[in-house]
Amino acid sequence: MELKDLRTKSAAELNSHLTDLHKERFALRMQQATGQLAKSHEVRRVRREIARTMMLLGQNQK
């Protein structure tokens, strides 16, 4: 998801999105561990999106 799309979301929506991203990251890690991961670039994309979401949550708290 683009940063500009994330900025329009509320804190509750960002927390929900963050939870979904953590679940997706866990699933990708399990696929990687069992050798079933076909798109290895997805791990990097999810990790960066988690960082973006956490950055926005931190900015909203200020």
Side-chain angles (χ1 to χ4, degrees), residues 30-48:
M30 290 301 110
Q31 288 177 9
Q32 188 175 27
T34 59
Q36 298 175 351
L37 185 62
K39 300 178 181 177
S40 60
H41 65 278
E42 290 293 316
V43 176
R44 183 178 184 189
R45 180 194 58 81
V46 171
R47 190 177 70 230
R48 287 183 175 196

Side-chain angles (χ1 to χ4, degrees), residues 41-61:
H41 65 278
E42 290 293 316
V43 176
R44 183 178 184 189
R45 180 194 58 81
V46 171
R47 190 177 70 230
R48 287 183 175 196
E49 193 165 340
I50 288 172
R52 285 186 193 107
T53 306
M54 291 179 68
M55 177 196 63
L56 289 174
L57 282 170
Q59 287 178 349
N60 289 345
Q61 288 179 351

